[in-house]
Every structure is written in C-alpha cells, then in structure tokens.
Amino acid sequence: MAMLSTSLSAAGSKSAATLYSPPNFSGLRRSSCPKLENPSSNSLHLFDSQLRLPSLSTRRPCRAVVAMAGTGKFFVGGNWKCNGTKESITKLVSDLNDAKLESDVDVVVAPPFVYIDQVKSSLTDKIEISAQNSWVSKGGAFTGEISVEQLKDIGAKWVILGHSERRHVIGEDDLFIGKKAAYALNEGLGVIACIGELLEDREAGKTFDVCFTQLKAYYSTDAVPSWDNIVIAYEPVWAIGTGKVASPQQAQEVHAALRDWLKKNVSDEVASKTRIIYGGSVNGGNCAELAKQEDIDGFLVGGASLKGPEFATIVNSVTSKKVAA
Ligand code: PGA
C-alpha cells in the first residue's frame, strides 16, 4: 500500500479521504484537512512506487498547508568530511562568522578532527562543533581512534555516527554504530544518527526496511539514556555526493515513516520532539523546497557546507518553513 505524498495536494486534487485519520503530532501540523472523496488510481501515479508503508489507515490526510510535524528546533549540520587545510578552514570560519544566520536554528559544523581546535577557537559560539566519528568506549590503547572524552575536552557537543561512508567504505555495522551511539549519549555528547538506503535497496522496495533496521540499532543496542540528544539524519546513499538529491516528496515520505516508527516503537513525545533531518546533495538551490516539507526538520550538508555563504542560505531555509506554515 502506498502512502500519500505532498504532491497530492500540490497537484491540486480536490479529493481527500475519510479513511485517513487526522495528524497526530503536536507541532505546528494542521489539525484537520479536506476529505479525499475518491483516493483513486488517478492519484496513484503521484506515489513513489518504491516506498511502502504498512497501513494507509495510519497515514495523515493531506498537506495543503505545509507545517512542521515535529516540535524540535530546525537543525542544520555541515559535515566537512576529510576536506580542508588550515588556510581554507580559516577562510570558511571567517565566512561563517560574517554570515547572517537565522537565530531559531541549531547550527553545527563537523570539521576533521585535526582542525576542531582551530575551529572551536575562531568560530562564533552560535555554531556548535561536532566530530565526524568517535570511539566506541573509553579511550586507551586504540591506535588512531578519538574518544568521546577527548571530544568533550576539546569542546565538541555532537558526533556524527553511522554515516554511509563509515558504513559502506570503512565497514561499520549496525551493532558497532549502536554501541558507539549509546556510549556517546551516555557520556553527554549529542549524536547525529545517520541512516539511509542504497540505490539497490530503494529499487528493491526495501527503503523502509533498511531505514527502520538502522534506526532500531541506535535504539536497542545498549541503554540509550534519552532521545533528547539524538538527531536522526536520513541520508539516502544514492544522493550523497552525487548531485542526485531526493525529491521533496521522496524525502518527506521517508521522514514521515520514520516519525511513525518512533511513535509506534518509542513514544508520541519522542516522535514529536526528535529532529529528522535530510542529507544528500542539499544545496543553496534545493534547500527551500525541501525545508517546506513538514517532516523535514533540517539538513545534514556535505559539499555545500564547505562554502560559507551557501551553507548560510541552507541554514536560513528555515524561513521557507515558517512562511509555508
Ligand atoms: P553531500 O553529503 O551534501 O555532499 O551529498 C551529505 C553527507 O554526506 O552528509
């Protein structure tokens, strides 16, 4: 059974379904919508055939007015990956310090480990620092690793875990990633918890299965003390660094499904509060349309985060969400 995408209302359909229950989340989401008289096959071409939700009856009705499903603050992270030199990072920091950023956004950048100190001491304190990885337990004889304690010591507040490059290039699995997340959270570091399907998963109709399995690993591996410090980053692997961004509808469909998963498996409160951000070829040109989607609570940005003014545009795309709401 396919789910409604925002394109239904965008296409101007006058129909709406009585079989759909009203929105459930407590954010700015609309509380009611017009009825779909005939949820016919006419509408089905608008659905992404690769995506499946377990039950249409649990889905929300329509999104003629786009609002924010979650109650969390918009969150934008810049993942600098293994890029930069002292010189280029000095320039990037200076551009970020000069940029006018909307105040109601949590902004985080993740420099390579070796530049964290430089960035921390020169970047405006309105932007927090994230690491791109952390060791799974207390530090010690682990050559080449960086511990959570060291990251906290140097002023980092966040760590990106489960990034597709660590899963698919370095070979980290769900169990290891889940343990790392539990350790970091227990030590008080926020976790940007990445998940996302490969192209072959999507083509096989397994997008939701893969994302739910990866999400579950953060939740069930070890004691997660609280969901307050987890931001979920949905990053379809086929969209990362490829220039092939997911359409706003494709991203929204997965984000809505992830929020439903949190609702069913954790709690209504966690589903509402947890930021679910999108990553994969986000740039200054496509961020506004993505930000309008009600379950997209921000972005994790790779390539475009290396350009200060463009990253600022992405941070400030929160304004399209506010206008749309
Ligand atoms: P990209 O990377 O924006 O360059 O696609 C996103 C990410 O890997 O977090």
Side-chain angles (χ1 to χ4, degrees):
M1 185 70 76
M3 65 176 283
L4 279 175
S5 81
T6 50
S7 55
L8 184 60
S9 47
S13 168
K14 291 205 172 66
S15 42
T18 48
L19 59 149
Y20 300 132
S21 52
N24 289 321
F25 301 116
S26 58
L28 304 173
R29 194 194 294 280
R30 299 178 75 204
S31 57
S32 64
C33 281
K35 291 179 182 171
L36 184 67
E37 290 142 14
N38 175 22
S40 65
S41 54
N42 275 355
S43 306
L44 293 178
H45 70 282
L46 296 166
F47 304 159
D48 183 338
S49 62
Q50 300 302 327
L51 296 172
R52 300 286 181 270
L53 271 187
S55 164
L56 191 59
S57 62
T58 61
R59 300 306 310 149
R60 295 181 293 276
C62 75
R63 302 188 171 104
V65 173
V66 182
M68 210 162 156
T71 52
K73 197 170 169 186
F74 204 69
F75 183 106
V76 177
N79 177 7
W80 296 357
K81 308 193 181 185
C82 188
N83 290 298
T85 59
K86 274 194 200 175
E87 195 184 337
S88 71
I89 285 176
T90 301
K91 163 91 170 68
L92 180 50
V93 166
S94 151
D95 287 348
L96 291 173
N97 287 341
D98 291 345
K100 180 160 170 3
L101 302 177
E102 291 290 320
S103 58
D104 51 352
V105 183
D106 284 335
V107 186
V108 171
V109 293
F113 287 127
V114 289
Y115 299 116
I116 288 182
D117 209 22
Q118 178 192 339
V119 174
K120 177 70 188 154
S121 61
S122 54
L123 183 65
T124 168
D125 57 13
K126 291 186 203 135
I127 301 179
E128 292 188 326
I129 307 289
S130 174
Q132 298 176 19
N133 185 27
S134 60
W135 180 234
V136 68
S137 61
K138 194 166 160 43
F142 304 106
T143 302
E145 291 296 332
I146 309 285
S147 73
V148 169
E149 291 77 10
Q150 290 170 325
L151 293 173
K152 287 190 333 191
D153 185 40
I154 209 165
K157 293 276 190 296
W158 295 89
V159 61
I160 298 172
L161 293 174
H163 191 278
S164 77
E165 285 142 21
R166 297 215 61 91
R167 291 176 188 273
H168 301 295
V169 182
I170 316 285
E172 293 187 6
D173 64 13
D174 281 346
L175 187 66
F176 191 51
I177 294 163
K179 282 183 181 297
K180 283 184 171 191
Y183 187 79
L185 289 165
N186 276 300
E187 291 302 312
L189 214 54
V191 170
I192 301 170
C194 302
I195 59 174
E197 82 285 2
L198 295 162
L199 183 58
E200 67 209 52
D201 298 326
R202 177 164 281 260
E203 286 174 347
K206 291 185 188 154
T207 296
F208 289 165
D209 290 345
V210 169
C211 290
F212 294 161
T213 301
Q214 292 178 355
L215 185 53
K216 197 169 164 201
Y218 289 104
Y219 172 52
S220 58
T221 313
D222 268 324
V224 169
S226 136
W227 281 77
D228 289 351
N229 288 331
I230 303 183
V231 170
I232 297 170
Y234 168 58
E235 299 203 297
V237 181
W238 47 270
I240 295 178
T242 57
K244 287 184 200 150
V245 65
S247 70
Q249 291 75 21
Q250 285 174 319
Q252 166 60 25
E253 282 167 334
V254 178
H255 283 228
L258 293 170
R259 211 180 293 282
D260 278 349
W261 188 94
L262 290 174
K263 185 169 156 25
K264 289 193 189 104
N265 293 281
V266 190
S267 70
D268 282 3
E269 194 197 354
V270 165
S272 174
K273 279 195 329 197
T274 304
R275 273 83 62 91
I276 306 175
I277 64 175
Y278 169 79
S281 297
V282 176
N283 61 37
N286 59 30
C287 56
E289 283 309 307
L290 286 159
K292 284 181 192 164
Q293 303 302 312
E294 64 179 337
D295 285 284
I296 295 184
D297 304 324
F299 300 111
L300 185 57
V301 187
S305 72
L306 298 170
K307 298 170 213 149
E310 186 165 9
F311 186 63
T313 301
I314 297 169
V315 169
N316 293 338
S317 67
V318 70
T319 52
S320 13
K321 190 170 238 17
K322 285 191 283 197
V323 168

